[in-house]
Amino acid sequence: MTHLDTLLSSNEDQTMKIASHFTQEYFQPGVPILLSGQLGAGKTYFTKGIAEALGISSREVISPSFALINEYHGPVCILNHMDFYRLENWQEVEQLGIEEYFTSNSFTVIEWGERFLAHFLPPYYVVKLTVTDEKNRLIEIFYQNYGQ
């Protein structure tokens, strides 16, 4: 896995700006974005930043903890926002029809996606949000390509 970037956020607005930057700089449609971080690390705010970069209002974006999947339609593409926190095994993920979401006109963000990392085929991104203290988050982005 290739380390692409590391940035520090001290609030939710900065987390959203970092996500927007990563979206413009790195993320590609059809390539899953797996978010890793403890509860409260900022995974949903990170997704809100991706939404803003795609022309989708961040106010629309809410955690899909109970719905499992929320879809947001932007002016150019779709943002699929998934949450695997309550899923227990890969079979439950497959029952969601996950492969159908990785299309050339959509970005798919998966909170708690690292729980099933071994099942994802490259390419994919992993974004680690690490709580360093009460306010600060270290945000790292990695990319796994074929043959790495």
Side-chain angles (χ1 to χ4, degrees):
M1 196 169 311
T2 303
H3 179 262
L4 298 176
D5 209 341
T6 301
L7 293 170
L8 186 65
S9 172
S10 61
N11 60 51
E12 289 134 353
D13 286 339
Q14 278 187 326
T15 297
M16 289 173 58
K17 286 178 184 166
I18 290 169
S20 180
H21 165 71
F22 284 176
T23 302
Q24 295 165 358
E25 188 72 23
Y26 301 113
F27 299 148
Q28 303 164 34
V31 179
I33 304 160
L34 312 177
L35 302 184
S36 168
Q38 68 188 57
L39 286 170
K43 294 181 293 295
T44 299
Y45 278 97
F46 191 88
T47 305
K48 287 174 177 275
I50 292 173
E52 289 282 332
L54 299 176
I56 300 165
S57 171
S58 63
R59 286 177 284 163
E60 291 183 44
V61 178
I62 58 171
S63 177
S65 293
F66 296 101
L68 299 180
I69 302 171
N70 291 333
E71 290 183 30
Y72 305 100
H73 295 264
V76 177
C77 60
I78 299 167
L79 173 60
N80 303 305
H81 185 195
M82 303 180 179
D83 189 323
F84 289 177
Y85 182 73
R86 296 184 313 120
L87 300 182
E88 304 221 357
N89 56 56
W90 184 248
Q91 289 72 30
E92 290 180 317
V93 173
E94 290 179 315
Q95 289 172 357
L96 296 174
I98 188 170
E99 295 295 327
E100 297 172 23
Y101 291 93
F102 306 146
T103 66
S104 62
N105 71 333
S106 68
F107 288 76
T108 301
V109 178
I110 306 169
E111 296 190 27
W112 303 97
E114 85 285 356
R115 294 183 60 217
F116 302 105
L117 188 60
H119 297 281
F120 282 93
L121 298 175
Y124 57 81
Y125 295 94
V126 174
V127 176
K128 293 184 180 180
L129 294 98
T130 305
V131 176
T132 58
D133 61 36
E134 189 174 304
K135 288 187 346 183
N136 296 306
R137 307 293 187 260
L138 184 68
I139 303 175
E140 301 172 276
I141 179 173
F142 300 87
Y143 181 66
Q144 179 66 47
N145 201 352
Y146 301 100
Q148 279 186 317

